[in-house]
Amino acid sequence: MSCGNPVTDADALMQRRKKYDKTKSCVKCKVAEGNLVIRHAVYCKECFLHLVVHKFRRTLEPNVNPKPDGPRRTTLKPAGNLLVGFSGGLGSSVLLDLVHRCYVALDKSTMPADGGRDHPRHERVWKKVTVCYVEVCDAFPGMQDRTDEITHHMKRYGDIDFVALRIQDAFDPTWWDRVGGKPYSKELGVSVAEEGLFLESLSSPTPDALTALRTYLSSLPTHTAVTTSIQTLTRLLLLHTALQTSSSHLVLGTSLTSLAVSLISGVSQGAGFNIREETQEDWSPEPETHDIEGKVGEKKAHGKGASKRTVRVVRPLRDIGIKECAAWAWWSGVPVVGKEKWGWKDSRPGIGTLTKDFIVGLEKDYPSTVSTIVRTCGKLAPKGEVSGKCILCGRPAQRGVQEWKARISIRSRHPASTSNNDDQDAAQLSTGPELAAVRPSLTPYLCYACHTTLTSKSSRPAPSPWPTVTPSPAVALPVWAESRLSPSTRTTDGKESHAHGEVFKQTRRVGEEEMKGIVSEFLLDE
């Protein structure tokens, strides 16, 4: 652009931006006219479909063998079966279609041309493929139950097994026993209302799973805490189901866009130490909670002499954006059941929802920025040592986090004393460190993100999703957490085994008369 006369100088006018950066022809075949623009590159329909299959295989296949081999040069030999996490959304629908085409139906159009007819890639990789769906409608009022729609959708894939779970199974001892979890005491709960997260005996017998779920969600301080907890419960249900089905791999339909949302929202909620697990992780159950000898599966399914079962979580669509997923579903005729937004009356958007709106809007205006976010997060390396696994989310917990948090946080404030009775003031102003030292707490067993989820309160308290649920001083925890805390967990030699070597004592409220009776012999007569 210049300041010249546009009548005599054609370069004086700013040229209109072209719809295509270079040409309307496909950048792959150079012949066909383009049908789709992906991050400033033009693709025809046929080349685009091959590109999606290539990206899918490139991400998944190097992680199939127990020891990842980078660019694959060996035969694919997984240690177990395959579990597909299905939500009914766009990403999981595209993932299921690709898994069925490439590894179940063995569609010739998805196979590389080189290698010949008898190449090993034309054989089935996983002997058994299972799809697991977790229904979350019972966690939010007014949400539609889509289990029947998902079941009908799965009839398209008759040679794939289907397992339907409900979100309240996370509090169901029957489901826990079915997936191979060890029995536990059902009398322990946590006081979420107190920042110390003290463990106490439940005031009433263990309720049914649905009531326990809604009581747990109603006790959480913010809308962000509710949605984050639902995501954590869903993820752990899928992982334990993978153990039950003897699956060595769990694949999730997280697209490039969804992965960028998870990374940013996770860091903003304190999960930066586990940023690598958002992309891929190798998860194994705690020995205190599961029968390592394989109550739910044969040891030989995971290799000769294997003593530790591991589930590798892979997100094969992490290089494929939401626009590409939508184009694949449209051109391949993949129906999408869909899923409802999580929320309830008078609830405000959480961190995850706000992050999603920002990332989706950013992708529309600047398509390459989303992939830059994911690549940048992939270069991050967490600092610090691992002190074990979080009792709630099952991910590595950083050592020394609680000590650091105690140093930077203001736990209590001592108001100025206006009374002349110093003894009474001292009794009122005494803080809780001495009391906390004798009361067992859940805090040492949590990662920073889960501790923040349970204790971070907003200046404007969020309305409860279930206001009719009666508040309880102590709420039940998910079954895998209760199993780790239970003193009934024993080792093979009959000795008690406790997470991190700590024994949790059962506590209960003591009435005034009972306390007076205990110390009566030490009281002086008036």
Side-chain angles (χ1 to χ4, degrees), residues 91-245:
S92 61
S93 299
V94 171
L95 172 67
L96 178 58
D97 185 67
L98 285 169
V99 168
H100 183 264
R101 287 171 179 261
C102 297
Y103 303 110
V104 179
L106 301 180
D107 188 347
K108 299 299 182 182
S109 63
T110 64
M111 299 293 178
D114 58 331
R117 183 184 60 183
D118 298 327
H119 195 277
R121 70 166 59 97
H122 296 286
E123 301 176 357
R124 290 194 60 164
V125 176
W126 285 278
K127 296 181 180 179
K128 181 180 179 182
V129 178
T130 306
V131 172
C132 182
Y133 169 71
V134 180
E135 178 57 63
V136 299
C137 68
D138 294 316
F140 302 100
M143 182 174 287
Q144 179 183 355
D145 189 344
R146 296 180 178 268
T147 305
D148 293 338
E149 294 182 59
I150 299 296
T151 304
H152 179 73
H153 176 80
M154 287 304 303
K155 292 181 180 179
R156 290 171 46 92
Y157 312 100
D159 41 4
I160 295 180
D161 295 338
F162 178 62
V163 176
L165 301 177
R166 306 191 78 85
I167 192 64
Q168 60 263 32
D169 288 338
F171 297 85
D172 189 358
T174 304
W175 172 83
W176 180 244
D177 180 69
R178 190 166 64 247
V179 298
K182 291 185 178 180
Y184 62 92
S185 174
K186 305 177 182 62
E187 302 176 356
L188 201 60
V190 61
S191 177
V192 182
E194 301 181 71
E195 189 175 0
L197 300 178
F198 298 116
L199 295 169
E200 300 178 358
S201 296
L202 297 174
S203 57
S204 60
T206 304
D208 61 280
L210 181 58
T211 303
L213 168 70
R214 292 178 176 177
T215 303
Y216 180 80
L217 296 179
S218 299
S219 65
L220 297 176
T222 61
H223 181 277
T224 299
V226 174
T227 54
T228 301
S229 298
I230 293 295
Q231 293 172 350
T232 301
L233 296 177
T234 302
R235 173 177 155 273
L236 267 296
L237 287 172
L238 292 174
L239 287 171
H240 288 288
T241 303
L243 291 179
Q244 181 191 17
T245 57

Side-chain angles (χ1 to χ4, degrees), residues 161-485:
D161 295 338
F162 178 62
V163 176
L165 301 177
R166 306 191 78 85
I167 192 64
Q168 60 263 32
D169 288 338
F171 297 85
D172 189 358
T174 304
W175 172 83
W176 180 244
D177 180 69
R178 190 166 64 247
V179 298
K182 291 185 178 180
Y184 62 92
S185 174
K186 305 177 182 62
E187 302 176 356
L188 201 60
V190 61
S191 177
V192 182
E194 301 181 71
E195 189 175 0
L197 300 178
F198 298 116
L199 295 169
E200 300 178 358
S201 296
L202 297 174
S203 57
S204 60
T206 304
D208 61 280
L210 181 58
T211 303
L213 168 70
R214 292 178 176 177
T215 303
Y216 180 80
L217 296 179
S218 299
S219 65
L220 297 176
T222 61
H223 181 277
T224 299
V226 174
T227 54
T228 301
S229 298
I230 293 295
Q231 293 172 350
T232 301
L233 296 177
T234 302
R235 173 177 155 273
L236 267 296
L237 287 172
L238 292 174
L239 287 171
H240 288 288
T241 303
L243 291 179
Q244 181 191 17
T245 57
S246 299
S247 298
S248 59
H249 292 77
L250 167 63
V251 291
L252 303 177
T254 306
S255 64
L256 177 67
T257 311
S258 301
L259 181 58
V261 173
S262 299
L263 291 171
I264 298 299
S265 62
V267 171
S268 63
Q269 297 177 63
F273 189 73
N274 304 120
I275 194 168
R276 290 187 172 180
E277 280 74 17
E278 283 293 336
T279 304
Q280 180 179 322
E281 64 177 314
D282 288 342
W283 177 87
S284 58
E286 289 294 319
E288 297 90 353
T289 61
H290 273 75
D291 184 5
I292 300 301
E293 295 300 323
K295 180 178 178 181
V296 298
E298 298 290 339
K299 286 177 61 178
K300 63 182 180 180
H302 295 271
K304 184 179 295 185
S307 59
K308 187 176 182 179
R309 293 174 295 165
T310 301
V311 178
R312 179 167 294 164
V313 184
V314 186
R315 294 166 174 81
L317 303 184
R318 65 178 183 228
D319 292 333
I320 303 174
I322 190 173
K323 180 179 180 180
E324 298 163 83
C325 291
W328 174 276
W330 175 257
W331 281 331
S332 302
V334 179
V336 179
V337 177
K339 55 182 180 180
E340 297 185 43
K341 293 184 177 180
W342 294 356
W344 60 93
K345 185 179 179 181
D346 298 329
S347 64
R348 293 180 298 169
I351 291 177
T353 303
L354 296 175
T355 305
K356 181 178 180 180
D357 294 341
F358 169 72
I359 294 296
V360 171
L362 187 68
E363 188 177 30
K364 292 180 180 178
D365 298 330
Y366 307 97
S368 301
T369 309
V370 176
S371 60
T372 304
I373 293 175
V374 175
R375 290 197 306 269
T376 303
C377 291
K379 299 175 183 178
L380 301 178
K383 293 184 177 180
E385 299 178 358
V386 177
S387 64
K389 289 186 178 180
C390 175
I391 200 170
L392 284 184
C393 68
R395 285 180 170 173
Q398 188 177 9
R399 184 182 301 278
V401 168
Q402 298 306 328
E403 290 79 1
W404 170 79
K405 193 170 184 178
R407 290 196 302 268
I408 67 169
S409 302
I410 300 176
R411 299 298 181 184
S412 61
R413 183 179 64 178
H414 291 231
S417 176
T418 59
S419 173
N420 295 327
N421 190 339
D422 295 339
D423 295 337
Q424 182 179 359
D425 291 342
Q428 292 178 351
L429 298 178
S430 60
T431 53
E434 295 82 4
L435 179 62
V438 297
R439 295 178 66 185
S441 172
L442 186 68
T443 300
Y445 288 71
L446 298 175
C447 64
Y448 181 83
C450 288
H451 185 267
T452 303
T453 297
L454 295 179
T455 59
S456 180
K457 295 178 174 59
S458 173
S459 58
R460 297 173 57 187
S464 171
W466 301 100
T468 58
V469 175
T470 304
S472 176
V475 297
L477 292 168
V479 288
W480 48 84
E482 293 277 6
S483 182
R484 281 186 61 181
L485 295 177

